Amino acid sequence: MDRTARRTENRYGNRPTMKDVAARAGVGLKTVSRVVNGEPGVTPDTERRVQEAIAALGFRRNDSARVLRKGRTASIGLVLEDLADPFYGPLSRAVEEVARAHGALLINGSSAEDPDREQELVLALCARRVDGLVVIPAGDDHRYLEPEIAAGVATVFVDRPAGRIDADVVLSDSFGGARDGVAHLIAGGHRRIGFIGDQPRIHTAAERLRGYRAAMEDAGIPVDERWMSLGVTDPERVRRAAEEMLKGQEPVTAIFAGNNRVTVTVVRVLAELDRRVALVGFDDIELGDLLQPGVTVVAQDAAQLGRTAAERLFRQLDGATLLPERIELPTRLIQRGSGELPPA
Amino acid sequence: MDRTARRTENRYGNRPTMKDVAARAGVGLKTVSRVVNGEPGVTPDTERRVQEAIAALGFRRNDSARVLRKGRTASIGLVLEDLADPFYGPLSRAVEEVARAHGALLINGSSAEDPDREQELVLALCARRVDGLVVIPAGDDHRYLEPEIAAGVATVFVDRPAGRIDADVVLSDSFGGARDGVAHLIAGGHRRIGFIGDQPRIHTAAERLRGYRAAMEDAGIPVDERWMSLGVTDPERVRRAAEEMLKGQEPVTAIFAGNNRVTVTVVRVLAELDRRVALVGFDDIELGDLLQPGVTVVAQDAAQLGRTAAERLFRQLDGATLLPERIELPTRLIQRGSGELPPA
DNA sequence: CTGAAAGCGCTTACAG
DNA sequence: CTGAAAGCGCTTACAG
């Protein structure tokens, strides 16, 4: 190998380039490019010489350079709240599968529910010139994305709509799902029903609360302010909220949990109780069917959410001129026991 | 919105470049570069003019071009088996956090436990010139990575070692963890203990089986071949395997489940049974403490696995000349009831 | 069938 | 303090 003194201190660690391959094979640069990209118009003999040089040098095309020239990076960005939240697992995988089918790589990052961090991450992805973005927004003002979208970055929001810009969004029917779940509890005879949800600035949390209120109102049940608690979903806060509604003279007899994180903690709190309290949770949870009682949930299809968003993204990229659309997926009530417990 | 005729057929959608900014501000290209990168040696007045031009044009630096020139992409690749598997959630997040602390983005992809797909993905990442790779390998021959590593791509394997190359690896003590878990069952009086694990070609599966055998041998218990079942971890296969060991004259009285996927299915099978069968699972599972009985597990720290690997990766990138190392993290037996059930 | 030249949008190395 | 030239490793547009 004569690669030692080739370049001074190495970029990309001294990798051979098409130029090196061309020199070794005794052909022009463009011929190497043709062979590497499988373009026609190279005689078998020339091709063989080039292939040999490629193998001997261990050449691998630098897609960074290719991207610069071609203008598309064949990569998309996925910004979500927390890579470790089980809700995003199937969603991420679905996005990845669609991306893969379109030959694109997935750049993944978490906003940690922080609008500034979301923006920082999104703009970093734009600076890398991802072809498109799938965003589960943390913030409520996405005007910072306008120049990017105008410049051609395909963008689809998932799970929550964009703020102050008009963009595609794919979401679950949070309002309807919560309303149905709460109506189910009411149908079971409950009147004092608690709602524990995420921070009210988060669209899904607000929508689910709205669904809760609608179901209560439909049934003519006045809502006590103490039955509703919105805030961060860490176990301590949720635990306090649940305990608060469960004590006193007139405790709630049922709880609607606003998402999977809340449900898990409420299940823990209820397990410690000496009386039975009904529970319906938004989002399905693993093993929820094997608890005693099984956890009744309003399930949403996270994979379908991701798939729909990613497919929409690639339709944008394929040049379809689409007007921004709002796609809402239905939820499904799964009865497993906890939501069918009668009032104490 | 005027998104209809938004794109012509342009590259990067007609974005302004540093050249455009320079022209508008009436300065040289290099001055724009200085301002954009916060380099010193620009008078306040010049800087202001450039900033105005940047704002007016909506300029955003193209990191693709920057990368080509600088030689480092400030991105790392993470290849795992399945983005949707809860085991990888905390691991991914830990890798992301370390990457973020080092100013790098994370490109994420699944191998679906297919060696060819792993290689394809890894090489695609190398073609994008990621600075480093964190790989949970699906295959057992990674010689294809040799030229990449020689060219300077930092590489750390996680959860399973690399095959046929000498590379850093961070893993949990699968052998010791499984041995301890099985020894715990034996200490509880069990002698007919089943082992259901992943495909034997997967390192962790083989190691855990070895741990099972070691514990049995230490206790002087001859192992019946029918007590061991290795294969894919889809629910159908695991269910059949469990049912097989649980029937007949001399059924197993306890099962050791080789990973979280297996545990979840075995829990389901045991829940349908009219007799109590003990269970210890490798990997912790959410809500495992709330089942009846609670699921005893050999827990590994997935986040720590990811964090350790990523930190090691960046130490490589920071130029430390490190010999390939094998870092093994301890596991922890968590008793919750299922592993303490006596033999029938 | 083949290749030299120009260019993608930046940074580097250098000169003023 | 400022900027023109060269170059990163490819592809595009063109000419032979």
Side-chain angles (χ1 to χ4, degrees), chain A residues 147-206:
Chain A
E148 308 298 329
I149 292 173
V153 179
T155 308
V156 178
F157 286 75
V158 189
D159 190 46
R160 312 163 183 174
R164 313 190 66 168
I165 63 170
D166 204 18
D168 280 326
V169 58
V170 181
L171 22 71
S172 289
D173 180 12
S174 283
F175 170 76
R179 191 193 48 202
D180 295 352
V182 174
H184 180 66
L185 289 167
I186 295 170
H190 295 275
R191 292 185 61 85
R192 296 197 305 276
I193 301 172
F195 177 95
I196 305 179
D198 213 325
Q199 305 171 78
R201 66 174 178 80
I202 297 175
H203 179 261
T204 46

Side-chain angles (χ1 to χ4, degrees), chain A residues 15 60 96 110 148, chain B residues 15 60 69 96 110 148:
Chain A
R15 281 170 174 277
R60 205 102 68 187
E96 186 207 5
S110 307
E148 308 298 329
Chain B
R15 281 169 172 278
R60 205 101 69 186
R69 191 62 241 238
E96 186 206 6
S110 307
E148 308 297 330

Side-chain angles (χ1 to χ4, degrees), chain A residues 3-314:
Chain A
R3 285 172 50 188
T4 339
R6 197 181 65 187
R7 267 169 244 149
T8 43
E9 67 277 7
N10 35 17
R11 318 171 5 72
Y12 300 125
N14 271 345
R15 281 170 174 277
T17 71
M18 282 192 181
K19 200 174 154 194
D20 300 323
V21 174
R24 173 152 187 145
V27 300
L29 187 58
K30 177 61 197 171
T31 298
V32 177
S33 174
R34 285 197 181 90
V35 172
V36 168
N37 295 301
E39 288 167 24
V42 182
T43 53
D45 184 59
T46 308
E47 163 142 22
R48 191 185 42 71
R49 291 219 314 287
V50 172
Q51 292 289 16
E52 279 172 11
I54 287 174
L57 261 34
F59 169 80
R60 205 102 68 187
R61 183 181 67 195
N62 182 339
D63 282 354
S64 276
R66 171 168 228 247
V67 150
L68 178 61
R69 192 63 240 241
K70 292 200 82 97
R72 273 213 181 178
T73 57
S75 58
I76 65 170
L78 171 62
V79 176
L80 39 75
E81 183 219 326
D82 179 0
L83 279 174
D85 185 330
F87 173 65
Y88 297 110
L91 193 153
S92 299
R93 181 170 64 180
V95 172
E96 186 207 5
E97 273 163 10
V98 176
R100 189 173 128 82
H102 287 262
L105 287 176
L106 186 66
I107 308 183
N108 223 317
S110 307
S111 69
E113 210 62 270
D114 172 352
D116 292 337
R117 186 163 154 186
E118 171 211 300
Q119 177 171 346
E120 183 193 340
L121 185 54
V122 165
L123 291 179
L125 292 168
C126 289
R128 299 298 173 97
R129 298 295 186 264
V130 292
D131 298 330
L133 287 166
V134 173
V135 181
I136 291 150
D140 56 4
D141 185 353
H142 297 92
R143 285 175 295 176
Y144 72 86
L145 258 172
E146 276 175 345
E148 308 298 329
I149 292 173
V153 179
T155 308
V156 178
F157 286 75
V158 189
D159 190 46
R160 312 163 183 174
R164 313 190 66 168
I165 63 170
D166 204 18
D168 280 326
V169 58
V170 181
L171 22 71
S172 289
D173 180 12
S174 283
F175 170 76
R179 191 193 48 202
D180 295 352
V182 174
H184 180 66
L185 289 167
I186 295 170
H190 295 275
R191 292 185 61 85
R192 296 197 305 276
I193 301 172
F195 177 95
I196 305 179
D198 213 325
Q199 305 171 78
R201 66 174 178 80
I202 297 175
H203 179 261
T204 46
E207 282 295 288
R208 290 167 199 176
L209 177 63
R210 202 164 65 80
Y212 164 84
R213 284 184 180 282
M216 295 296 265
E217 189 174 335
D218 287 350
I221 305 172
V223 174
D224 189 319
E225 287 301 316
R226 290 169 302 179
W227 297 347
M228 294 175 295
S229 174
L230 277 74
V232 294
T233 58
D234 66 281
E236 293 71 31
R237 207 280 302 174
V238 171
R239 172 172 286 275
R240 278 196 308 275
E243 286 169 349
E244 197 63 35
M245 347 185 137
L246 288 166
K247 73 180 189 193
Q249 290 299 314
E250 296 210 314
V252 299
T253 62
I255 292 179
F256 187 86
N259 70 24
N260 62 341
R261 299 296 84 199
V262 174
T263 304
V264 167
T265 299
V266 171
V267 166
R268 286 194 187 329
V269 173
L270 297 185
E272 297 161 8
L273 234 55
D274 51 358
R275 64 182 188 278
R276 290 299 211 178
V277 170
L279 169 66
V280 174
F282 208 106
D283 297 327
D284 203 358
I285 53 175
E286 185 160 76
L287 295 180
D289 56 325
L290 289 186
L291 296 174
Q292 308 283 356
V295 181
T296 294
V297 297
V298 176
Q300 53 175 328
D301 190 340
Q304 186 61 26
L305 227 42
R307 196 176 308 119
T308 306
E311 278 165 359
R312 179 90 189 168
L313 191 79
F314 282 100

Side-chain angles (χ1 to χ4, degrees), chain B residues 135-211:
Chain B
V135 182
I136 291 149
D140 57 3
D141 185 352
H142 296 92
R143 284 175 296 177
Y144 71 85
L145 258 172
E146 277 174 344
E148 308 297 330
I149 292 172
V153 179
T155 308
V156 178
F157 286 74
V158 189
D159 190 46
R160 312 164 183 174
R164 312 190 69 168
I165 63 170
D166 204 17
D168 280 327
V169 59
V170 181
L171 23 72
S172 290
D173 181 12
S174 283
F175 170 76
R179 190 193 48 201
D180 295 353
V182 174
H184 179 67
L185 289 167
I186 295 171
H190 295 275
R191 292 185 61 84
R192 296 198 305 276
I193 302 172
F195 178 96
I196 306 179
D198 212 326
Q199 305 171 78
R201 66 174 179 80
I202 297 175
H203 179 261
T204 46
E207 282 294 288
R208 291 168 197 175
L209 177 63
R210 202 164 66 80

Side-chain angles (χ1 to χ4, degrees), chain B residues 287-305:
Chain B
L287 295 179
D289 56 326
L290 290 185
L291 295 173
Q292 307 284 358
V295 181
T296 294
V297 297
V298 175
Q300 54 175 328
D301 190 340
Q304 186 61 27
L305 226 42

Side-chain angles (χ1 to χ4, degrees), chain A residues 287 290-292, chain B residues 185 190 253 263-264 266-273 275-281 284-297 334-342:
Chain A
L287 295 180
L290 289 186
L291 296 174
Q292 308 283 356
Chain B
L185 289 167
H190 295 275
T253 63
T263 304
V264 166
V266 172
V267 165
R268 286 195 175 5
V269 173
L270 297 186
E272 297 161 11
L273 234 55
R275 65 183 189 278
R276 291 299 211 178
V277 171
L279 168 66
V280 174
D284 204 356
I285 53 175
E286 186 163 73
L287 295 179
D289 56 326
L290 290 185
L291 295 173
Q292 307 284 358
V295 181
T296 294
V297 297
I334 305 177
Q335 302 182 23
R336 295 195 180 121
S338 76
E340 292 69 45
L341 293 173

